[in-house]
Amino acid sequence: MIKNLDIHALERMRIRLNRLYGPSQVEHLLERMVALVGRYGVGLEGFSDADPWDETSAVLITYGDMIQAEGEAPLAVLKRFSDRHLSGAINTVHILPFCPYSSDDGFSVIDYRLVDPKLGNWADVEELGHGFRLMYDLVLNHCSRKSKWFADFVNHIAPYRDFFIEADPEEDLSAVTRPRALPLLTPVHTQHGDTHVWTTFSDDQMDLNFANPDVLFEFLDILLFYVAKGATIVRLDAIAYLWKRIGTSCIHLEQTHEVVKLMRDLLDMVAPEVVLLTETNVPHEENISYFGDGDEAHMVYQFSLPPLLLHGLINGDSTYLTNWAASLNELPAKCTYFNFTASHDGVGVRPLQGIVPNEELMKLAARMKELGGHVSMKANADGTESPYEMNITYFDALGDDPNTVTDAHLARFLCSQTVAMALRGVPALYFHSLTATRNNLAGVEETGRARTINRLKWNEAELEEKLADASTPAARAMKELTRRLACRSQHKVFHPDAAQTVVNLGSEWFALEREWDDERVVCVSNFSDQYQELLIDDRLYRLNRCDACHDLLSGRRYMGDGKVVPFEPYQTVW
């Protein structure tokens, strides 16, 4: 059966499996790989030349129950809302973890192959997929303490008795990178005695032992199951921490990269239309390492973008954003960025390391507190703590006052989202950005968790009432954001693979050029709170040398030599 498959792909897999598990297991593991492919009957068509993304690509990030109506499955309500408001603007819906779970709003998975009945069922997911492409999470670093897998570990039942990582708390684990200010090991009583289990994120999220090939193959099976269930993008959650080796930092290890590359090999062979996206909330250079040499993730989160946009717009100074954007390396073929500003988590601080001075970072964190947000901390190797993420809705993060919404606030927020739409990559909007949601302070008080501030559950009737009133921030934001996304989708120059050049017009502007064949668009944003006029001169030589140009967003035309473009505070012109 092996000879009927892509020989080159199998050879890459052989090399990777050898690096992970040694030569003695390679042939057996390759046979398992072939059996796995056959089980799902996916593709086997070889790598496709078709684009996995284009200028119409845009993602909504949402929980399955972020909008609710009494007596209805939340996934069905999400389908109705998306059909009504998002067609033509958004083409992909990222349903955050929708499996049965025990904590962390879905990221402590009990059963990877089931849909949480409180959300609906696989038929509801499939129905949503009739109008939109779908993105799923593969939460593979850990699973729930309440899962059958962990119950079998406790009871010493094969194969799951070897699915988790036990460690001696007396060992020196100080080198391990810690994303949380919580204990790394959790005491557990099992049938074979008391032990300590590795728990990177919480004592309910038990880390899985990928040094055991059975664990790898369990997740390869789940990956193909998700593909068979309609996933077109698969997000590898917390992938950076996957492989553990005591005496190392246990982050970004070579074996972790090999696992991602193996998954890429598998998808290239059997489902080439499916995109692999890595989630690594770390400094930029570490983040983009998951592109490999174009043989690893198809897409990585642009984690530096959200805090850089916040810093630039709050301070009216785009310097750090411009310098960073200008420094971005050329992407490997068939790779791009996932450009987001907000997600279910907070705004990460670590991605600013090496880009923004620490004192500026601390000022930004303090500003988020003034606006009603929280700052979550992480443990450092020296026993100290430092900011890890800022917990606040992105809409409120760009405000002037936690109690009011001004026109300047809304304009500043729309500017942030429009910059993300223009950058090379695929734009993604979090549900609460789309609806200009305020901080969920009551939710934080109820749960005691800072991240709840950005995880409000909307009542459908209440939200529709706000959207029907053209004066509300929700209606104004959604109308303008969907209009701009629809405009973007009409121009090939916004294809994620289109060329990008950052233009430095000074600290009060952010500008870049996008180009595809004969179409050129210059995207300019006023980062200041003042009316400004921009002279089209040799810094924007392509515009300077044309007789006329027009703004895609407003339709306004600019004619002749010495063209001057007026900008309201925080206005963007394409």
Side-chain angles (χ1 to χ4, degrees):
M1 189 171 183
I2 286 182
K3 67 181 181 181
N4 295 326
L5 301 183
D6 184 331
I7 298 301
H8 298 295
L10 284 171
E11 186 55 35
R12 289 195 301 272
M13 290 179 177
R14 176 180 279 107
I15 293 169
R16 303 200 197 292
L17 290 167
N18 180 60
R19 289 172 180 165
L20 290 169
Y21 303 112
S24 64
Q25 299 197 60
V26 166
E27 295 306 319
H28 167 63
L29 295 178
L30 276 176
E31 292 289 349
R32 288 183 69 175
M33 191 74 72
V34 171
L36 177 66
V37 171
R39 184 178 313 149
Y40 286 95
V42 211
L44 293 185
E45 297 166 355
F47 194 87
S48 169
D49 289 328
D51 284 347
W53 45 68
D54 62 21
E55 64 277 8
T56 69
S57 298
V59 180
L60 172 71
I61 305 169
T62 182
Y63 282 102
D65 61 350
M66 198 150 268
I67 181 165
Q68 304 176 2
E70 187 174 354
E72 292 189 70
L75 285 169
V77 182
L78 176 61
K79 161 72 173 172
R80 181 167 62 237
F81 176 88
S82 300
D83 286 344
R84 180 181 299 147
H85 295 289
L86 305 182
S87 294
I90 295 285
N91 79 336
T92 303
V93 177
H94 172 200
I95 317 171
L96 288 157
F98 49 78
C99 301
Y101 69 96
S102 57
S103 65
D104 199 16
D105 287 343
F107 286 90
S108 186
V109 178
I110 292 175
D111 191 319
Y112 289 85
R113 293 175 176 84
L114 297 180
V115 174
D116 187 342
K118 293 191 292 293
L119 300 178
N121 53 39
W122 278 114
D124 293 311
V125 176
E126 181 180 353
E127 189 64 26
L128 179 61
H130 289 158
F132 300 88
R133 302 181 78 195
L134 299 175
M135 174 172 158
Y136 302 164
D137 286 271
L138 188 57
V139 185
L140 68 172
N141 178 74
H142 50 261
C143 71
S144 169
R145 187 172 188 149
K146 295 180 175 60
S147 65
K148 181 181 183 300
W149 294 359
F150 194 70
D152 283 359
F153 165 80
V154 168
N155 291 308
H156 206 57
I157 298 172
Y160 302 108
R161 66 189 179 198
D162 299 314
F163 263 45
F164 300 90
I165 304 168
E166 299 177 74
D168 185 345
E170 298 302 315
E171 286 195 81
D172 182 6
L173 301 173
S174 60
V176 177
T177 297
R178 302 293 294 116
R180 298 285 185 276
L182 295 168
L184 177 62
L185 302 181
T186 296
V188 175
H189 178 71
T190 75
Q191 291 294 323
H192 60 286
D194 292 334
T195 188
H196 285 79
V197 175
W198 202 290
T199 51
T200 298
F201 291 94
S202 81
D203 61 5
D204 186 51
Q205 294 167 301
M206 322 310 284
D207 283 41
L208 290 148
N209 180 20
F210 275 80
N212 174 1
D214 289 344
V215 174
L216 172 69
F217 274 84
E218 185 76 49
F219 277 95
L220 293 178
D221 187 282
I222 295 167
L223 173 64
L224 292 190
F225 174 76
Y226 286 173
V227 170
K229 288 292 188 180
T232 56
I233 304 177
V234 177
R235 173 187 183 271
L236 302 182
D237 176 67
I239 187 66
Y241 303 96
L242 189 74
W243 201 279
K244 283 79 175 177
R245 192 171 74 244
I246 292 174
T248 73
S249 64
C250 297
I251 186 172
H252 312 314
L253 297 191
E254 291 179 10
Q255 294 92 334
T256 295
H257 286 283
E258 289 295 334
V259 169
V260 179
K261 290 176 180 180
L262 187 67
M263 290 182 169
R264 170 72 177 266
D265 291 338
L266 180 60
L267 290 178
D268 281 355
M269 180 170 27
V270 305
E273 72 284 359
V274 176
V275 170
L276 209 57
L277 168 64
T278 49
E279 186 262 336
T280 53
N281 193 352
V282 293
H284 181 72
E285 290 303 318
E286 298 172 35
N287 184 37
I288 63 174
S289 71
Y290 285 84
F291 284 132
D293 293 321
D295 59 350
E296 200 164 340
H298 299 91
M299 197 183 295
V300 303
Y301 276 77
Q302 194 68 284
F303 272 109
S304 296
L305 180 61
L308 279 170
L309 273 171
L310 274 186
H311 181 275
L313 285 164
I314 285 172
N315 293 289
D317 185 346
S318 66
T319 301
Y320 294 117
L321 176 65
T322 295
N323 291 343
W324 166 79
S327 73
L328 295 177
N329 295 328
E330 193 61 30
L331 291 167
K334 299 186 184 297
C335 292
T336 199
Y337 293 115
F338 190 78
N339 291 326
F340 76 115
T341 59
S343 72
H344 59 291
D345 290 339
V347 179
V349 172
R350 287 194 69 209
L352 289 184
Q353 291 177 8
I355 301 173
V356 174
N358 190 60
E359 57 268 24
E360 290 290 319
L361 186 157
M362 299 306 291
K363 287 179 186 176
L364 184 62
R367 177 63 178 157
M368 295 303 101
K369 289 184 176 181
E370 291 173 2
L371 291 168
H374 299 268
V375 178
S376 298
M377 309 298 285
K378 77 176 187 71
N380 299 318
D382 61 3
T384 62
E385 293 185 353
S386 58
Y388 172 75
E389 69 178 16
M390 300 174 292
N391 302 108
I392 188 169
T393 70
Y394 209 78
F395 182 72
D396 270 359
L398 286 160
D400 301 301
D401 184 296
N403 299 311
T404 60
V405 176
T406 63
D407 287 345
H409 175 180
L410 184 62
R412 195 182 299 123
F413 171 73
L414 289 173
C415 182
S416 73
Q417 304 306 295
T418 312
V419 169
M421 292 178 201
L423 284 164
R424 183 174 183 179
V426 173
L429 276 77
Y430 185 47
F431 197 100
H432 288 313
S433 294
L434 197 64
T435 56
T437 307
R438 310 306 306 272
N439 289 329
N440 182 19
L441 301 178
V444 174
E445 186 173 346
E446 180 182 346
T447 67
R449 298 194 302 270
R451 284 180 168 177
T452 308
I453 201 168
N454 198 25
R455 299 181 180 181
L456 176 75
K457 310 297 185 185
W458 277 109
N459 173 272
E460 184 188 27
E462 179 185 347
L463 178 56
E464 291 293 352
E465 183 179 355
K466 287 182 180 292
L467 294 177
D469 180 352
S471 67
T472 64
R476 294 170 69 189
M478 180 176 288
K479 178 181 178 181
E480 194 57 27
L481 290 171
T482 53
R483 186 185 76 83
R484 295 182 190 194
L485 283 168
C487 173
R488 176 186 180 276
S489 72
Q490 300 303 308
H491 296 275
K492 201 74 175 178
V493 75
F494 291 112
H495 191 295
D497 297 343
Q500 172 176 295
T501 303
V502 175
V503 183
N504 191 339
L505 300 178
S507 63
E508 294 185 330
W509 305 95
F510 180 73
L512 55 86
E513 296 180 353
R514 301 296 306 277
E515 180 176 357
W516 184 279
D517 292 336
D518 294 331
E519 185 179 16
R520 298 178 180 88
V521 173
V522 178
C523 306
V524 185
S525 296
N526 178 6
F527 267 46
S528 79
D529 60 0
Q530 301 295 314
Y531 170 87
Q532 296 199 85
E533 294 182 345
L534 180 66
L535 174 65
I536 303 300
D537 55 23
D538 284 344
R539 296 173 300 174
L540 299 169
Y541 69 94
R542 286 175 176 149
L543 294 184
N544 194 31
R545 283 162 169 73
C546 63
D547 294 330
C549 55
H550 70 279
D551 178 15
L552 296 178
L553 293 175
S554 69
R556 183 168 178 174
R557 294 184 65 82
Y558 306 97
M559 309 289 290
D561 296 332
K563 293 180 284 291
V564 174
V565 181
F567 282 79
E568 295 298 327
Y570 308 113
Q571 183 181 356
T572 295
V573 169
W574 288 351

